[in-house]
Amino acid sequence: MNVSEWIQTALLAILQGLTEFLPISSSAHLILPSQLWGWDDQGLAFDVGVHVGTLLAVMFYFRREVLLMTRAWFRSLGGHTDAEGRLAWLVVLATLPALVAGFVGSEIIGVYGRSVLVIAGTTLIFGVLLGWADARRREQRTTTEMSVKDAGLIGLAQALALIPGTSRSGITITAALMLGFDRQSAARFSFLLSIPVILGAGTLKGLELYQEGSSTHWLQVGAGALIAGLSALACIHLFLKWLDRVGMKPFVIYRLLLGMLLLVTYFAWPGGAA
């Protein structure tokens, strides 16, 4: 690999690490380098690597919660359910709609949803919705007050994130804010929800990689995983630290600008519809 390829690897890994958890859409960002600068796809192995990096980052950051929830979930199988066990079941419940939607609609979305125009539209529409939800938030509830219905609705919202440009974290935070949860609770539940989703996506991509049996630049994959993990870890920490102070407005403004840039890209390069 030459210097320019290493630069591409680092930048794409940073993009993945940051946009996986910020409410700004990872697909919208990952499509821009190929459209604007003609960068080649880094390959399936790289995709698996950065997913592993972001998964390890969120699990490390929430390691205490994950450990308590895991232990409590197993205890609940024996009939003893506490607050952590209940939260674990709510995460499982909220994950199911995305699994069903992915199984049923992934091929359709893969064919029709990768257009720059589609990604621009969803980036703009769901950005406005995020801003509206944040402006009208009531902030009366925490995750300890979350009901099965709440988890189900947030899970249904997460299923929409299969459409590129929606942003998984953005749509789940939007749904939680609309249901009256405070910003911190909305963000933390969204991050906990990301664990089974990223794990599932990474597993599927890993199986694809195994079936392909193609040669892999493991040093590039390892570097991508490390950079994505570190950038994701920093992103989660700073996002939660600054969330109550800055709110969602900066991300909404950024999404509007990004959506307009994607529209300009689409109309400037008519071949960018793919």
Side-chain angles (χ1 to χ4, degrees):
M1 290 178 63
N2 55 41
V3 174
S4 64
E5 289 175 325
W6 278 112
I7 292 174
Q8 289 181 29
T9 295
L11 288 178
L12 288 174
I14 291 171
L15 273 178
Q16 177 66 35
L18 295 178
T19 59
E20 183 70 48
F21 298 108
L22 292 180
I24 55 177
S25 173
S26 59
S27 54
H29 287 79
L30 295 176
I31 199 172
L32 273 175
S34 62
Q35 293 294 327
L36 297 180
W37 303 307
W39 287 6
D40 294 329
D41 189 338
Q42 296 294 301
L44 186 58
F46 180 81
D47 203 6
V48 173
V50 294
H51 273 81
V52 170
T54 54
L55 175 64
L56 292 176
V58 70
M59 289 187 69
F60 177 78
Y61 191 87
F62 292 102
R63 58 193 180 277
R64 182 176 180 276
E65 290 94 328
V66 169
L67 181 60
L68 290 174
M69 288 168 61
T70 302
R71 288 176 174 172
W73 184 81
F74 280 109
R75 286 198 303 269
S76 73
L77 297 178
H80 176 73
T81 303
D82 52 19
E84 287 80 11
R86 186 172 181 278
L87 181 58
W89 277 112
L90 292 175
V91 169
V92 171
L93 173 63
T95 303
L96 294 179
L99 293 179
V100 174
F103 181 76
V104 174
S106 59
E107 290 188 11
I108 296 174
I109 292 171
V111 173
Y112 298 105
R114 302 296 299 177
S115 164
V116 176
L117 188 59
V118 170
I119 295 174
T122 51
T123 298
L124 291 168
I125 292 169
F126 290 108
V128 171
L129 187 61
L130 173 63
W132 179 83
D134 191 49
R136 292 177 61 87
R137 73 190 187 282
R138 299 188 302 275
E139 293 203 340
Q140 298 172 339
R141 307 165 67 196
T142 66
T143 51
T144 59
E145 302 168 87
M146 183 174 290
S147 67
V148 170
K149 180 181 177 181
D150 294 327
L153 290 172
I154 294 171
L156 289 172
Q158 180 173 242
L160 293 174
L162 286 171
I163 305 172
T166 302
S167 171
R168 191 209 61 81
S169 62
I171 194 64
T172 51
I173 290 173
T174 297
L177 291 174
M178 291 173 69
L179 290 168
F181 291 94
D182 63 68
R183 286 171 174 163
Q184 287 289 332
S185 296
R188 286 179 174 274
F189 190 71
S190 174
F191 290 154
L192 290 173
L193 268 183
S194 73
I195 294 174
V197 170
I198 298 174
L199 180 60
T203 301
L204 288 176
K205 290 178 182 295
L207 291 174
E208 283 183 50
L209 180 64
Y210 176 77
Q211 291 169 356
E212 279 188 4
S214 56
S215 59
T216 300
H217 297 288
W218 289 111
L219 186 59
Q220 178 202 24
V221 173
L226 178 62
I227 295 170
L230 292 175
S231 59
L233 194 61
C235 170
I236 295 169
H237 175 71
L238 293 175
F239 181 73
L240 291 175
K241 181 180 179 181
W242 293 337
L243 180 57
D244 289 328
R245 190 185 312 168
V246 303
M248 296 296 167
K249 189 174 181 179
F251 305 106
V252 172
I253 294 172
Y254 181 82
R255 284 186 70 130
L256 296 179
L257 294 174
L258 177 62
M260 289 187 283
L261 176 60
L262 286 167
L263 287 177
V264 170
T265 301
Y266 176 84
F267 289 109
W269 289 276

